[in-house]
Amino acid sequence: MPQSYAGRTPVYAPSGVVATSQPLAAAAGLAVLRRGGTAADAAVATAITLTVVQPGSNDIGGDLFAIVWDGSALHGLNASGRSPAALTLDHVLRHRSDPSAIGALGGAQGQASTLMPPFGWPAVTVPGAPAGWRDLHARFGALPFAELFADAIGYAEHGYPVSPNVAVAWDRAARVLHPMLDGPEFAEWARVFTMDGRAPHAGQRWRNPDAARTLRLIAETEAEAFYRGEIASAVADFAARTGGLITADDLDKHTSTWVDPISTGYRDFEVWELPPNGQGIAALLALNIIEGYDLGAASLEQRLHWQIEAMKLGFADAHAYVADPDVVPAPVTDLLDKGYAARRRALIGELAGTPSPGDPLRGGTVYLCAADAHGMMVSLIQSNYMGFGSYVVVPGTGFGLQNRGAGFSLEPSHPNVVAPGKRPYHTIIPAFLTRGGAPVGPFGVMGGHMQPQGHVQVTLSTVDDGLDPQAALDRPRWYWHADRQVRVEPGLVATPEGSAAIEGLRRRGHEVAVATDGGGFGYGQAIWRLPDGAGYVAGSEPRADGCAVGY
């Protein structure tokens, strides 16, 4: 198989494998597989552990989505939460008159009329992750639910040395973002997530005993304490005291939703995503457009131009139609029609276009995938949204609440307009690849607006170029931000062909910048099933602390 671009080699395993963005979490999942757990058990254990060992990307108060191959079919789990019953457009617009609501945007007052407040209570929706863990385990798990919390509780109670990339993001949150936030709802964050007023350094041991207690309550009650018991009361009481709208009734009414994944055919493969309210359809729309091109006969410059322009059109439709399907269903079948893709493809010319996809979204997320000896495979993604989410931490609980409500629109006529009891546009999307209906495996790329773009690039590397999962993840990426703005990783210009391609894109009107930092290109994992029942091959993200482990 092809060599990995960054020098990593894929992980081959005969019986089972776990791949995620933090080694301690991957080890927790592998331990569950070795004890006879299913891939779903391993995924849940890994996800729970990630809330402790990778704060700033996900937490107990976040959301979760998953795709499961059970050995014969795919199943989708939407474990995202809804807005409080009292959250209305009028309330948000009135709240936005308070400068503290937008202060953390770096003074972007010119955007005040179009942006949801990103931090604080207005951005908080009901957390869906604890219910997602429970529901995924109830349908596909084998081990006792409480056993899946062991490693996470141990790390929270006794501590662990913080990994390097986690430390970098944590430091920025403590030095730059949190000091900009003013209000009683933000005070507990510093007590829980800083040490003497700063973030822990890489390699420094960090503990979160309050989170250990919260995780025990969730484990012992199968999440009932979170939605109807002690934790729910603590959340509702703190909200009432500090200006939040979320109530005990909002938490009590929360439910996950099992959904049918959606797909499109790409060459002789099928790419699967979850339906809205997630943005996975953007990747499928772009792949439908790209399928009409002969990539093998094209230059690198032409390939990149087609991919970027197709992605712009995919986002234009996603931002126009994706919303809570219980409120305004998106026309998924029509959007994924191959005839529609042909009409969209006809809009792509030789120069960079400027569609109007709305404001691109970025965020902090964790992705994991797992596979077991019986053929079950899980693709799971979990997130706070923007780094530490809302920066609201309920005293005594040890966890932060997500800010997924920041994904709502403030345009009254938009399908995704903020409203009571509604799920917002979600950036986090797990993916799965099949071929002729047979499973190839789960994959995903973290990073807000980068996620569909990463899915497209990993799919092309796998299907069109025949790369193994590690090489597909290692390959240098491009990232379309907005208008004609494109960022590329330095590896894309490391060869004469790459340099020529980037100059060609600039001549076409693309405003290409070569990144000087490692951020913005997403972090991914992938597991492919080997032929003839030989096992699995897995890849993990070279841009972060991730790893794949197997047995």
Side-chain angles (χ1 to χ4, degrees):
M1 285 188 175
Q3 291 295 312
S4 295
Y5 286 84
R8 284 194 178 191
T9 56
V11 172
Y12 288 87
S15 300
V17 66
V18 177
T20 193
S21 51
Q22 213 281 349
L24 295 177
L30 184 65
V32 165
L33 287 179
R34 287 185 174 277
R35 293 202 303 271
T38 66
D41 288 325
V44 171
T46 302
I48 295 166
T49 305
L50 282 166
T51 67
V52 176
V53 300
Q54 198 172 343
S57 293
N58 75 135
D59 211 330
I60 297 166
D63 272 353
L64 176 157
F65 293 81
I67 298 175
V68 180
W69 174 267
D70 67 359
S72 59
L74 287 169
H75 308 268
L77 177 63
N78 181 337
S80 64
R82 298 162 182 84
S83 56
L87 184 66
T88 64
L89 176 61
D90 180 66
H91 174 87
V92 174
L93 294 176
R94 283 189 288 108
H95 186 276
R96 288 175 59 79
S97 65
D98 178 359
S100 67
I102 58 173
L105 290 174
Q109 271 75 9
Q111 301 178 37
S113 64
T114 59
L115 293 174
M116 280 285 293
F119 307 117
W121 283 115
V124 175
T125 53
V126 174
W133 303 335
R134 176 197 64 206
D135 297 340
L136 184 58
H137 170 267
R139 187 164 181 180
F140 296 110
L143 298 180
F145 185 59
E147 282 190 22
L148 309 182
F149 289 73
D151 281 26
I153 291 172
Y155 291 132
E157 195 160 56
H158 304 296
Y160 65 92
V162 174
S163 53
N165 280 281
V166 171
V168 170
W170 203 332
D171 176 65
R172 181 176 180 273
R175 283 190 305 103
V176 179
L177 293 176
H178 184 261
M180 300 173 74
L181 305 175
D182 183 32
E185 67 270 37
F186 302 117
E188 181 75 354
W189 187 91
R191 188 190 73 80
V192 172
F193 289 109
T194 65
M195 304 171 69
D196 299 323
R198 59 165 179 79
H201 302 309
Q204 187 170 13
R205 198 176 188 93
W206 180 73
R207 300 172 61 247
N208 189 348
D210 287 346
R213 182 174 181 276
T214 292
L215 289 171
R216 280 198 179 92
L217 285 171
I218 295 171
E220 291 167 357
T221 66
E222 296 192 340
E224 283 297 298
F226 194 94
Y227 296 101
R228 296 167 189 87
E230 179 181 332
I231 303 168
S233 296
V235 172
D237 291 347
F238 187 60
R241 295 198 311 272
T242 57
L245 298 180
I246 194 168
T247 66
D249 190 55
D250 292 321
L251 290 158
D252 178 70
K253 288 180 177 177
H254 173 75
T255 57
S256 304
T257 306
W258 288 100
V259 299
D260 293 326
I262 59 176
S263 70
T264 193
Y266 181 75
R267 315 298 188 206
D268 57 342
F269 287 74
E270 303 85 39
V271 183
W272 297 83
E273 303 275 357
L274 292 183
N277 54 313
Q279 64 175 346
I281 195 169
L284 303 183
L285 289 164
L287 287 168
N288 267 355
I289 294 169
I290 295 167
E291 188 181 31
Y293 296 118
D294 184 358
L295 299 184
S299 67
L300 178 58
E301 174 195 333
Q302 185 70 72
R303 286 174 57 132
L304 292 173
H305 174 69
W306 285 335
Q307 291 171 36
I308 293 165
E309 294 302 298
M311 198 70 251
K312 292 178 185 179
L313 292 169
F315 272 122
D317 283 340
H319 286 157
Y321 294 107
V322 170
D324 187 339
D326 292 338
V327 180
V328 184
V332 172
T333 301
D334 293 336
L335 288 170
L336 294 180
D337 180 77
K338 296 292 186 178
Y340 178 70
R343 296 194 295 275
R344 299 293 275 170
R345 190 182 307 116
L347 300 176
I348 297 176
E350 292 303 309
L351 301 178
T354 54
S356 302
D359 185 45
L361 305 171
R362 297 187 62 183
T365 303
V366 294
Y367 173 78
L368 66 95
C369 44
D372 65 28
H374 303 290
M376 182 184 290
M377 291 177 271
V378 177
S379 181
L380 187 150
I381 198 159
Q382 183 171 272
S383 176
N384 290 332
Y385 189 20
M386 299 176 183
F388 280 89
S390 65
Y391 285 81
V392 175
V393 177
V394 177
T397 66
F399 69 87
L401 293 165
Q402 62 177 306
N403 65 332
R404 278 291 161 187
F408 280 122
S409 170
L410 296 184
E411 297 177 26
S413 62
H414 197 283
N416 186 44
V417 65
V418 62
K422 187 176 181 181
R423 285 170 161 161
Y425 181 110
H426 249 276
T427 58
I428 59 174
I429 50 173
F432 202 94
L433 191 65
T434 61
R435 188 174 194 177
V440 176
F443 71 101
V445 176
M446 301 164 270
H449 180 57
M450 179 64 202
Q451 291 182 48
Q453 304 186 57
H455 287 195
V456 167
Q457 292 173 67
V458 170
T459 298
L460 299 183
S461 294
T462 301
V463 176
D464 290 297
D465 300 322
L467 299 187
D468 67 51
Q470 186 62 61
L473 291 167
D474 288 351
R475 188 176 230 174
R477 295 182 190 139
W478 53 265
Y479 165 73
W480 173 71
H481 178 64
D483 298 323
R484 295 186 177 96
Q485 302 166 33
V486 180
R487 296 177 75 234
V488 299
E489 291 190 291
L492 258 179
V493 296
T495 65
E497 181 190 21
S499 294
I502 298 308
E503 288 306 313
L505 289 178
R506 288 172 175 149
R507 287 192 295 271
R508 291 173 182 266
H510 296 280
E511 298 169 4
V512 183
V514 180
T516 57
D517 58 38
F521 296 97
Y523 307 124
Q525 325 292 332
I527 300 172
W528 299 157
R529 190 175 72 165
L530 294 170
D532 303 322
Y536 302 97
V537 55
S540 61
E541 183 57 60
R543 299 162 183 82
D545 304 319
C547 72
V549 291
Y551 80 109

